[in-house]
Amino acid sequence: MEVRSIEFKQRASERAIDGSLQGKLKTAKGLFVGGRARAVARFDAEGGDFEALRDVGRGIRDEVLDNLDVWLETFEQNATARGATVLWARDGAEISRLVVEIAQRHGVKKAIKSKSMLSEEAGLNEALEAVGVASIETDLGEYIIQLAKEPPSHIIAPAIHKNKEEVADLFEQHHHKPRKTEIAEMTREAREVLRSHFVSADMGITGGNFLVAETGSVALVTNEGNGRMVTTMPKVHVAVVGVEKVIPTLNDLAALLRLLPRSATGQTISNYVSLLTGVKSEADRDGAEHLYYILVDNGRVGLVGSEFQEMLRCIRCGACMNHCPVYQTIGGHAYGWVYPGPMGSVLTPLYTGLDKAPDLPHAATLCNQCGVVCPVKIPLPELLRKLREKQVQTGVGTATAKAERRALKLWGFAARNPRLYAFGARIATRYLKWLAGGKDRIQVLTMVPEWTKGRDFPAPEGKTFRELYAQRAARRR
């Protein structure tokens, strides 16, 4: 997926005034935010302690990250012992190369996919189609945006920016059937279309919510039956998973599964939780005959041991974006890459480079709603602040940011020289009064127009504080 985060300001401005998008985001916010609040309240009312559970989740993830190489080697040993093949990918290009090689080795003509953000990072669908392998998304949201030729706008609700009428138009155009507008009828039509792909596919591709080192298993958490169809019907199953997703034991999985659904969709447990271990045996009636794990770095390993390691705790629930006032105003596409919201504002600069996403560390109010709801207590505002510091230290940023830094240096120099500062303040206040043209507000600050792009600037009286203070003191004498 092409990184377009450099366009954040323009894309955000366009979406902030899109009334249709605002309505969709408002509806989604009510569902996600209210759902999580109710799920957490029920958990506590039934004798649980959700805050203590968040501490447990944080501890599990930290234990893994502090010994990541050990747990990955353990996973590889146990997965291999159960008939799986474990491969390693440095980046998105290597993911695509490995999956294409697997497809060609097994004569695959059609692949079906369950939702995977890592495959979005790699542009996997395009890579498969380039070698003649049809790649069909089977998660309903992903299927919708595949028809629309758009990237996902949310990590758990990819088509959150589409309404029922837009989906009806897409189905009519691509399915060549009479247009339907009832949700039940539309979902039935999608199931009927996808059923033929489930039956005829040679390879299934998934992500993985967790990798269990103890058993060499991959855990998939979904709300649609497509995940099980993708992993049990084709003869080949490929799981593309980030290296940070490994966890030590099944007990750890049980704890994290109490956090993930409640934080993501407000459910006690998702409709489908699949734990897949090894290849199909002679006694099994279904399952993949060939299982490949592709464990992916793509910027993750470089964060281990760094000041940003805490970001690798992320379990991809989407709670941070559901509660973020910025995301809920502009949606996911404004962020310009796979991961939107607060998590994306941290991950995208770290994975792709600050120079490709200079505005994202500033795409937050630092209100800490994201930190309060994160199930594994990632201090997202603190990480965003560290990225801002890194920008200042390295000089990486937009032309506007560089100009602001130069202006602040000039101001700092003047502030250390009282007479120079006082002289500059007198000139500035008189200039701003003149610019206001007799009004009490300035509509455009010519030197820094961005400051007044969305609001007016109060006009000064034309004299500095020191001058006004001196005048008042003189009158009292």
Side-chain angles (χ1 to χ4, degrees):
M1 182 177 174
E2 182 185 1
V3 183
R4 300 184 63 186
S5 301
I6 197 75
E7 304 167 7
F8 173 78
K9 284 190 175 179
Q10 176 187 344
R11 294 159 71 93
S13 297
E14 293 169 353
R15 284 155 179 79
I17 58 174
D18 184 338
S20 175
L21 177 63
Q22 298 302 309
K24 299 165 194 172
L25 292 173
K26 184 177 181 180
T27 299
K29 178 182 178 180
L31 294 172
F32 285 131
V33 174
R36 179 192 178 277
R38 288 188 292 272
V40 171
R42 282 196 302 269
F43 184 82
D44 289 340
E46 292 167 1
D49 185 338
F50 198 73
E51 285 305 303
L53 184 60
R54 291 175 71 209
D55 286 328
V56 171
R58 176 177 61 180
I60 292 169
R61 300 299 293 130
D62 282 346
E63 178 185 355
V64 167
L65 296 173
D66 289 340
N67 301 280
L68 186 59
D69 55 342
V70 174
W71 292 115
L72 287 172
E73 289 175 4
T74 303
F75 173 81
E76 182 179 27
Q77 291 169 3
N78 289 326
T80 302
R82 288 164 173 79
T85 299
V86 178
L87 305 171
W88 304 83
R90 295 181 184 85
D91 53 29
E94 198 158 10
I95 294 172
S96 295
R97 179 180 64 78
L98 290 171
V99 175
V100 166
E101 288 177 358
I102 294 168
Q104 292 175 335
R105 184 180 309 137
H106 294 282
V108 172
K109 298 299 181 186
K110 180 188 292 185
I112 49 176
K113 293 177 71 253
S114 183
K115 179 152 55 68
S116 165
M117 293 294 100
L118 251 177
S119 71
E120 298 284 351
E121 288 185 42
L124 185 54
N125 286 347
E126 293 78 6
L128 287 169
E129 289 167 4
V131 295
V133 178
S135 182
I136 311 298
E137 298 285 354
T138 64
D139 172 90
L140 182 57
E142 289 282 351
Y143 176 67
I144 289 168
I145 64 171
Q146 185 179 35
L147 295 182
K149 300 186 184 303
E150 295 175 358
S153 60
H154 193 288
I155 63 171
I156 63 169
I160 197 173
H161 59 291
K162 296 286 185 189
N163 60 28
K164 183 176 65 171
E165 288 69 29
E166 290 168 328
V167 175
D169 291 339
L170 283 170
F171 282 7
E172 181 183 28
Q173 176 186 351
H174 291 273
H175 296 167
H176 307 295
K177 294 183 178 183
R179 189 175 188 274
K180 300 176 179 64
T181 55
E182 294 298 322
I183 292 176
E185 293 178 351
M186 293 163 66
T187 53
R188 175 174 292 278
E189 181 175 306
R191 283 198 298 270
E192 291 171 352
V193 170
L194 290 172
R195 192 165 295 149
S196 63
H197 295 304
F198 287 130
V199 173
S200 59
D202 310 296
M203 181 166 72
I205 301 172
T206 70
N209 292 92
F210 303 103
L211 298 170
V212 184
E214 177 183 43
T215 58
S217 309
V218 60
L220 300 176
V221 181
T222 68
N223 274 314
E224 302 173 27
N226 68 308
R228 292 189 175 173
M229 302 285 274
V230 166
T231 57
T232 57
M233 296 194 70
K235 63 182 181 180
V236 181
H237 172 204
V238 179
V240 184
V241 190
V243 291
E244 84 283 9
K245 293 293 189 69
V246 67
I247 58 174
T249 69
L250 290 172
N251 283 337
D252 296 325
L253 175 64
L256 291 168
L257 286 178
R258 300 169 91 183
L259 283 167
L260 178 57
R262 288 180 170 90
S263 300
T265 54
Q267 296 169 277
T268 301
I269 191 69
S270 295
N271 291 341
Y272 297 91
V273 177
S274 302
L275 190 63
L276 304 167
T277 308
V279 297
K280 177 182 179 182
S281 69
E282 293 182 2
D284 293 329
R285 298 182 63 181
D286 56 27
E289 298 173 14
H290 307 278
L291 172 59
Y292 296 88
Y293 291 111
I294 300 179
L295 305 186
V296 183
D297 175 5
N298 208 28
R300 290 155 173 78
V301 173
L303 303 186
V304 176
S306 76
E307 59 185 332
F308 297 102
Q309 176 175 299
E310 291 172 298
M311 193 62 226
L312 293 178
R313 288 187 205 146
C314 181
I315 59 174
R316 304 295 194 268
C317 67
C320 61
M321 61 193 71
N322 295 338
H323 291 75
C324 176
V326 176
Y327 177 90
Q328 289 300 335
T329 302
I330 61 176
H333 286 162
Y335 293 83
W337 199 51
V338 178
Y339 303 109
M343 63 174 292
S345 293
V346 177
L347 284 177
T348 301
L350 292 175
Y351 285 176
T352 68
L354 263 171
D355 58 322
K356 294 183 179 178
D359 293 318
L360 292 193
H362 305 272
T365 64
L366 303 186
C367 65
N368 199 35
Q369 286 198 57
C370 53
V372 168
V373 299
C374 176
V376 287
K377 294 195 171 182
I378 299 172
L380 286 158
E382 177 65 15
L383 297 181
L384 287 165
R385 187 186 63 79
K386 287 180 180 179
L387 279 171
R388 295 179 185 185
E389 288 180 353
K390 192 174 181 180
Q391 280 185 305
V392 173
Q393 293 164 1
T394 61
V396 174
T398 62
T400 301
K402 292 177 180 177
E404 288 176 353
R405 284 198 289 272
R406 287 194 294 268
L408 287 172
K409 285 183 179 179
L410 180 62
W411 177 87
F413 174 77
R416 291 192 296 270
N417 296 271
R419 291 184 179 179
L420 177 62
Y421 187 87
F423 175 76
R426 286 197 299 272
I427 298 298
T429 52
R430 285 158 174 77
Y431 167 73
L432 291 173
K433 182 180 181 181
W434 171 81
L435 190 63
K439 299 178 181 178
D440 63 348
R441 299 278 167 173
I442 300 172
Q443 293 184 323
V444 180
L445 278 172
T446 53
M447 299 294 289
V448 281
E450 288 292 319
W451 284 13
T452 50
K453 193 172 184 179
R455 59 196 179 278
D456 292 341
F457 188 85
E461 293 184 15
K463 292 185 179 180
T464 66
F465 170 80
R466 289 185 179 188
E467 290 175 307
L468 294 172
Y469 185 85
Q471 286 179 359
R472 181 173 295 183
R475 285 197 296 269
R476 287 178 178 174
R477 288 195 297 267

